[in-house]
């Protein structure tokens, strides 16, 4: 399976932001499937982000395909109803501190803590995503598997 089409790969390379190898990306998708399986075992909905997949509630798992952490995962808690209510309140009230938005943000923070605990208990190397990427606040980062030495 090809994860990154050759044209996108060539453009990213020309822009100085190359994608990881197909092998690293494939390993990332394998890791994503294992993370979702573990979250399902814990009773949580979890989905691997794919272009053809609609955005669903629960843990949304995205494979990192570029940069020094390629092959790792961002896990984001997705609560669409809370997010929509929060955004609507912020927009209508013109107040970024609207209680509905604060409610959504607090749920995301609580789920971040829960996801980290569940995944660490299962043996994954997990940190708050903001420790890896300062714009990923509220997400969880699962480090890529270490390559096996054969």
């Amino acid at each position: 399976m090809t994860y990154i089409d050759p044209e996108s790969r060539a453009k990213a390379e020309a822009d100085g932001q190359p994608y990881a190898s197909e092998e690293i990306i494939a390993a990332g998708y394998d890791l994503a499937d294992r993370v979702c399986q573990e979250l399902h075992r814990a009773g949580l909905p979890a989905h691997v982000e794919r272009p053809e997949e609609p955005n669903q509630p629960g843990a949304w798992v995205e494979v990192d395909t570029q940069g020094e952490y390629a092959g790792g995962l961002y896990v984001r808690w997705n609560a669409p109803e809370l997010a929509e209510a929060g955004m609507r309140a912020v927009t209508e009230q013109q107040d970024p501190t609207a209680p509905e938005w604060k409610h959504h943000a607090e749920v995301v923070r609580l789920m971040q803590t829960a996801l980290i605990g569940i995944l660490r208990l299962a043996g994954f190397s997990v940190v708050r995503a903001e420790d890896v990427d300062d714009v990923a606040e509220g997400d969880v980062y699962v480090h890529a598997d270490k390559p096996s030495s054969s």
Side-chain angles (χ1 to χ4, degrees):
M1 170 177 216
T2 300
Y3 292 93
I4 307 296
D5 68 86
E7 187 176 315
S8 295
R9 190 173 282 284
K11 183 175 179 348
E13 182 81 32
D15 290 342
Q17 298 186 4
Y19 284 100
S21 70
E22 289 292 318
E23 293 80 17
I24 288 173
I25 295 171
Y29 276 97
D30 178 61
L31 178 61
D33 289 339
R34 289 185 285 125
V35 162
C36 284
Q37 180 182 18
E38 191 58 40
L39 293 174
H40 289 153
R41 288 183 60 215
L44 297 173
H47 314 278
V48 177
E49 182 179 51
R50 301 184 198 283
E52 68 278 2
E53 288 286 319
N55 200 354
Q56 301 175 41
W60 200 240
V61 182
E62 176 187 356
V63 177
D64 192 355
T65 59
Q66 294 177 299
E68 69 178 295
Y69 297 107
L73 313 173
Y74 287 96
V75 182
R76 155 179 320 110
W77 187 253
N78 184 32
E81 289 181 36
L82 286 177
E84 288 172 27
M87 287 301 292
R88 189 171 42 255
V90 166
T91 303
E92 290 171 1
Q93 299 170 24
Q94 296 293 303
D95 179 8
T97 64
E100 296 87 349
W101 184 252
K102 284 183 167 182
H103 180 101
H104 171 260
E106 186 60 24
V107 167
V108 168
R109 276 190 286 281
L110 289 166
M111 290 308 299
Q112 180 189 47
T113 301
L115 291 167
I116 287 171
I118 291 165
L119 294 173
R120 282 184 180 163
L121 187 62
F124 294 98
S125 175
V126 184
V127 295
R128 295 174 332 130
E130 42 276 42
D131 294 346
V132 172
D133 179 351
D134 59 1
V135 297
E137 186 176 341
D139 292 354
V140 171
Y141 196 84
V142 181
H143 288 280
D145 288 333
K146 292 186 175 107
S148 59
S149 51
S150 354

